[in-house]
């Protein structure tokens, strides 16, 4: 894995463990010489993650749409910043650049990006590992919902298994780097 696309919140959440997990992930990426591809912001978990990669000597590529390219939002110290026309172009570019896709805690945008990546994987439009960093059990309700969707036969077990999860960055990166069974 040369580059990892990470979706995460522009807020930090109400538990310090979310910021700490983002920082630890950033350090892990830099140590493994994996480039971070993310949304380009300097705020919330996005900023904490980018700062930790950069602080550990790693590379960070930010992809930001023109409407969000504002001095108070965009990270000014990135290895590379790409400004695109729209959110749709941002998502496509982030998916294109990453060898894997991971979601940290976040809100609607994070979930939407994660589910688009999963849906495209299900449709075999890409074969990149998709994962959630389940810090503090943040994604437990979502994972339970996906289990229910599988039990109710709206989601096959093979497709349910497309979403990897672990509680620590080290464990999740190890899962994501395992060869696929396809």
């Amino acid at each position: 894995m040369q580059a990892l696309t990470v979706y995460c919140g522009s807020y930090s959440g109400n538990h310090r463990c979310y910021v700490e997990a983002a920082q630890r992930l950033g350090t892990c990426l830099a140590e493994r010489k994996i480039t971070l591809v993310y949304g380009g912001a300097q705020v919330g978990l996005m900023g904490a993650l980018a700062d930790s990669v950069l602080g550990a000597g790693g590379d960070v590529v930010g992809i930001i749409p023109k409407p969000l390219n504002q001095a108070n939002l965009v990270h000014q110290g990135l290895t590379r910043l790409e400004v695109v026309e729209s959110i749709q172009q941002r998502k496509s570019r982030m998916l294109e650049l990453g060898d894997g896709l991971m979601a940290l805690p976040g809100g609607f945008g994070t979930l939407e990006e994660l589910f688009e990546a999963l849906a495209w994987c299900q449709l075999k439009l890409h074969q990149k590992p998709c994962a959630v960093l389940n810090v503090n059990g943040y994604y437990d309700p979502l994972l339970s919902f996906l289990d229910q969707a599988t039990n109710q036969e709206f989601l096959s077990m093979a497709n349910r298994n497309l979403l990897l999860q672990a509680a620590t960055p080290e464990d999740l990166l190890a899962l994501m780097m395992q060869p696929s069974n396809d």
Side-chain angles (χ1 to χ4, degrees):
M1 183 174 297
Q2 301 295 311
L4 179 67
T5 294
V6 178
Y7 310 119
C8 58
S10 58
Y11 292 100
S12 297
N14 62 1
H15 294 288
R16 178 78 187 144
C17 63
Y18 300 130
V19 170
E20 291 169 352
Q23 292 169 333
R24 182 68 199 133
L25 174 61
T27 301
C28 288
L29 293 177
E31 288 171 348
R32 290 164 176 77
K33 301 202 181 328
I34 298 171
T35 298
L36 168 65
V37 177
Y38 87 120
Q42 67 179 354
V43 296
L45 295 185
M46 295 172 78
L49 176 60
D51 287 343
S52 67
V53 173
L54 293 166
D59 292 327
V60 179
V61 176
I63 312 294
I64 197 150
K66 279 185 181 177
L68 299 179
N69 189 14
Q70 303 164 12
N72 65 334
L73 182 61
V74 69
H75 199 297
Q76 300 300 318
L78 304 178
T79 309
R80 188 171 88 232
L81 178 67
E82 294 184 18
V83 180
V84 295
E85 292 295 321
S86 67
I87 293 284
Q88 290 77 15
Q89 287 177 336
R90 173 199 214 177
K91 292 187 304 181
S92 292
R93 187 69 176 139
M94 289 173 67
L95 183 63
E96 176 187 339
L97 291 177
D99 300 315
L101 311 147
M102 180 188 294
L104 273 64
F108 287 143
T110 301
L111 292 171
E112 189 270 336
E113 290 168 326
L114 171 66
F115 274 94
E116 181 173 88
L118 280 167
W120 288 13
C121 189
Q122 175 181 312
L123 295 170
K124 305 213 183 313
L125 299 176
H126 73 80
Q127 296 179 336
K128 300 174 182 186
C130 299
V132 293
L133 185 58
N134 195 16
V135 181
N136 198 32
Y138 183 81
Y139 281 111
D140 285 351
L142 176 66
L143 297 169
S144 293
F145 171 77
L146 295 177
D147 291 339
Q148 175 180 304
T150 304
N151 291 335
Q152 298 293 319
E153 298 182 3
F154 286 101
L155 188 62
S156 71
M157 184 57 73
N159 288 331
R160 167 63 183 88
N161 290 335
L162 292 174
L163 183 61
L164 305 172
Q165 67 93 21
T168 69
E170 296 85 354
D171 290 344
L172 193 51
L173 287 170
L175 274 175
M176 293 180 79
M177 290 187 199
Q178 289 179 356
S180 163
N181 292 331
D182 293 339

